[in-house]
Amino acid sequence: SMDVGCDITQLREYINTASEEKDNSITSSDKVKESLKFKTVDYIDYSSGLGMIFAARPIQSSSSSYWHLEYIRRLVDESIDEVMFESVVLGCVNQERCQYAIYVYALGLEHRYVSETGKLEEGKKLWLKVSSVNPKMGLLTFSLASKSGGIHAQPTSAPAA
């Protein structure tokens, strides 16, 4: 009822008053303004609170990372077999350390992996097991899986990067 800038009942009253005054041919703009009583709209400052939003982003990011790692930790704790995931090598990050960027399909996770076998080619698929995970410290390490079996060893249909 406020979408026209004033209350509809006030607008109806104005129409009724105007039609009555039409007969008397007395319509003044002061009476129109008085009967409509437009409401003023508060100014919205879109930049207020941006500091809080920007301050909250690192907290949200670390919380998301923590719960991602906590999920992996629980998988490891509940599993009898080694927990392994299919991943793909995205590229080399540090040649001296044989450190690679990998993408773990099932987790939707891009992570760093230090190769135990030396140089790896981009696009190579690997089965990696979770060596250790510590959500509080934000640590996750993978190593080559001993076999291509286990609880999470179903191949994905995701294309190589």
Side-chain angles (χ1 to χ4, degrees):
S1 67
M2 296 298 292
D3 58 345
V4 291
C6 65
D7 195 6
I8 296 292
T9 55
Q10 290 176 342
L11 186 58
R12 287 187 182 140
E13 288 173 14
Y14 165 71
I15 293 170
N16 292 338
T17 307
S19 64
E20 288 172 10
E21 290 179 358
K22 184 179 178 186
D23 298 334
N24 300 337
S25 22
I26 306 171
T27 55
S28 69
S29 63
D30 291 335
K31 283 190 175 186
V32 172
K33 288 178 187 174
E34 184 181 324
S35 65
L36 287 178
K37 295 181 184 173
F38 285 98
K39 308 257 190 264
T40 58
V41 178
D42 293 337
Y43 172 73
I44 299 172
D45 183 12
Y46 291 102
S47 64
S48 72
L50 282 180
M52 293 294 252
I53 292 169
F54 290 127
R57 282 186 181 165
I59 295 167
Q60 189 274 335
S61 177
S62 64
S63 175
S64 178
S65 176
Y66 171 84
W67 286 108
H68 207 165
L69 295 175
E70 179 62 19
Y71 168 75
I72 296 167
R73 185 194 67 76
R74 290 178 185 185
L75 284 177
V76 171
D77 284 352
E78 294 169 2
S79 176
I80 301 167
D81 297 325
E82 58 187 24
V83 177
M84 64 181 70
F85 298 99
E86 185 179 15
S87 61
V88 64
V89 176
L90 300 176
C92 185
V93 177
N94 185 337
Q95 286 183 336
E96 292 175 7
R97 293 188 59 218
C98 290
Q99 186 178 40
Y100 293 88
I102 60 166
Y103 180 77
V104 183
Y105 294 117
L107 300 174
L109 176 69
E110 187 175 325
H111 197 67
R112 301 277 172 100
Y113 165 70
V114 178
S115 173
E116 303 143 55
T117 59
K119 187 176 179 181
L120 298 173
E121 296 296 321
E122 289 180 15
K124 180 176 174 131
K125 290 189 178 188
L126 301 171
W127 282 97
L128 300 174
K129 69 177 179 179
V130 178
S131 295
S132 66
V133 59
N134 186 337
K136 291 179 183 175
M137 299 295 290
L139 300 174
L140 172 65
T141 56
F142 289 105
S143 61
L144 283 176
S146 59
K147 56 186 176 181
S148 61
I151 190 169
H152 295 287
Q154 292 80 29
T156 62
S157 59

